[in-house]
Each structure stands twice: as structure tokens, then as C-alpha cells.
Amino acid sequence: MSGATEEVATGAEVVDLLVAMCKAALQSSRKSIIFEPYPSVVDPCNPKTLAFNPKKKSYDRLQKALDSVLLIRRMSQGPYSEIKKQMDKTDPLAHPLLQWILASNRSHIVKLPLNRQLKFMHTPHQFLLISSPPSKEARFQTARKLHGSTFAFHGSHIENWHSILRNGLINASYTKLQEQPGQARFLQNRNLNCIALCEVITSKDLQKHGNIWVCPISDHVCTRFLFVYENGQVGDVHINTQEARIHREISQVIALKQC
């Protein structure tokens, strides 16, 4: 039963991560841009109407329901049925919202066991993250055979991950989605920090400006891992994914997950 217990705990951590990302996006000053998609949730008291409707957005009502989700997940112990009962009692829209948060996630995200984690990242919260649909992954593998690939970090504020997990990585440069100077960025002023490790096609289209790389072709970038740091902590910001030792460790973990 120890294995089953570990799986349940792992699943709970993924749920909490998805809820935390939703909360960060909803509390952002940019929520009208980055809180995408907005929930589409049927009213449990009137199945013919939508309690949360993308055409009639109410961020305040959404925040109230999410607060109830967070409250119950902090307080409740016991089976899932008991947690649901407490949510329904506190706010009838809390559980439907939680269901939507889980069901709308289009990424494959799984907690890595300790014996398969990347030690140089210095966090126990490590996840396998596949956010590309099969069609994009197939195009990526075709390009990989032609040009090869390497690994690079993608630092994005936690408020952006609600959308990334549902819409995929996009090149936000020179668009309204680009974070503006002076705003809180990754590794700054937040209790929960996230960074992804991506596999990148090394074609002539990859633009390298020192430590900053720009990949203008979306099909040439696929997420592989997500690392989460608590209480404002961060990992080693000087990690060089091009070092042979680092590259080898990443490749070994990916090979283990594919077995």
C-alpha cells in the first residue's frame, strides 16, 4: 500500500499546483489578458445556465469560489467525498470550479519520484511536463532528426502558467502577452516560483544572444520538466544546460520516463 499512498500524495501535489497557478493568474493585474481560458461551468442549481461564462466574466465571483477551494483544501482531511461535501456546503461553485481546473489542463504533468529527479535543480517539487499535443510532438521529433536538439530553461512568472498549460508555449515577444519592464518576474517577490526545462531544436532559426535564446518557430520548442520552489526560494541560477554533465543527467531522466 505504500506505493498507492505515494501516488495519492503525488496526485494531490499536482492538484495543488494547478490551483496555485489559477490563483496567481486570477490575482494578476494582467488577468484580463493572461487568465485564458476563462472557465465555462454549468450552474449546479440550474443546469440550463452557466455559473461561469466566458462571455460574461466575473472575476470577483470566480475569486470567491477559488477562495473556498483553497480554504477547504487547507482544512479538510479524509476521503475525497468528504472534501467535496465541505466545498458544496461552503460554496456550491467551489467544487465545479475545481473540476474545471483539472479537466481543462491539456498538459501531461506528473510528479517525478525522488530517485528520478534532477539533483542540480535543488527542489523536491519536480514534474515531468509535456504540454505539446501529439501533432506538435511529431513535428518536433521530425525536426530533431534533421537538426538535433539541446535543453534550455524557460522562466515565466507563475501567473502565466494557467494559460501555458492549456494553450502551450507561444512566442510572446512584441505582443500584449509580453511581460512589461518593472513587473514582478520569475525569481522575484513571490512565494511560489516556477521554471520549465525545454528541449529546443538547434536549427539555424534559433537566435542566440548570450544566455538569452529566442526560438521564433513554436514547433521547435517542447516542455520536458517543471520545477517549483516554495517560500521565495530559487535554485542555482548559474546552471549551464550545455555542460556535458548536466546534459547527460537530463537525457538519462528523459530516457527513464520513456521506458
Side-chain angles (χ1 to χ4, degrees), residues 160-173:
N160 296 320
W161 283 97
H162 170 80
S163 176
I164 291 173
L165 293 184
R166 291 161 177 82
N167 299 312
L169 282 175
I170 62 171
N171 187 346
S173 299

Side-chain angles (χ1 to χ4, degrees), residues 103-230:
S104 63
N105 170 37
R106 298 172 61 186
S107 301
H108 179 63
I109 180 167
V110 179
K111 177 75 180 292
L112 288 171
L114 287 175
N115 63 342
R116 293 188 177 181
Q117 293 189 358
L118 297 171
K119 297 179 178 59
F120 59 80
M121 292 306 296
H122 305 297
T123 175
H125 307 299
Q126 301 191 18
F127 303 85
L128 177 73
L129 173 60
I130 308 299
S131 60
S132 303
S135 56
K136 178 181 177 180
E137 185 69 39
R139 293 192 296 271
F140 181 90
Q141 294 300 332
T142 298
R144 186 172 181 263
K145 292 176 182 177
L146 291 173
H147 307 288
S149 68
T150 189
F151 298 98
F153 290 110
H154 175 76
S156 191
H157 198 285
I158 186 173
E159 68 183 27
N160 296 320
W161 283 97
H162 170 80
S163 176
I164 291 173
L165 293 184
R166 291 161 177 82
N167 299 312
L169 282 175
I170 62 171
N171 187 346
S173 299
Y174 309 110
T175 73
K176 64 181 181 179
L177 294 173
Q178 183 175 12
E179 294 179 42
Q180 300 302 313
Q183 285 188 310
R185 295 293 301 275
F186 174 71
L187 304 183
Q188 295 181 9
N189 305 322
R190 293 284 178 162
N191 289 329
L192 202 61
N193 295 314
C194 301
I195 191 167
L197 184 60
C198 303
E199 189 172 1
V200 185
I201 299 298
T202 50
S203 71
K204 58 181 176 56
D205 299 294
L206 182 62
Q207 303 165 13
K208 297 183 179 181
H209 309 281
N211 292 329
I212 306 299
W213 296 1
V214 177
C215 185
I217 303 176
S218 61
D219 281 352
H220 284 192
V221 182
C222 285
T223 55
R224 297 301 182 222
F225 299 98
L226 181 71
F227 307 97
V228 181
Y229 296 87
E230 293 182 292

Side-chain angles (χ1 to χ4, degrees), residues 16 19 23 66-77 83 87:
D16 287 339
V19 171
K23 174 187 176 184
L66 187 61
D67 287 342
S68 297
V69 172
L70 293 165
L71 175 66
I72 300 304
R73 285 192 65 76
R74 281 196 301 267
M75 295 176 55
S76 295
Q77 299 292 329
I83 295 175
M87 284 188 185

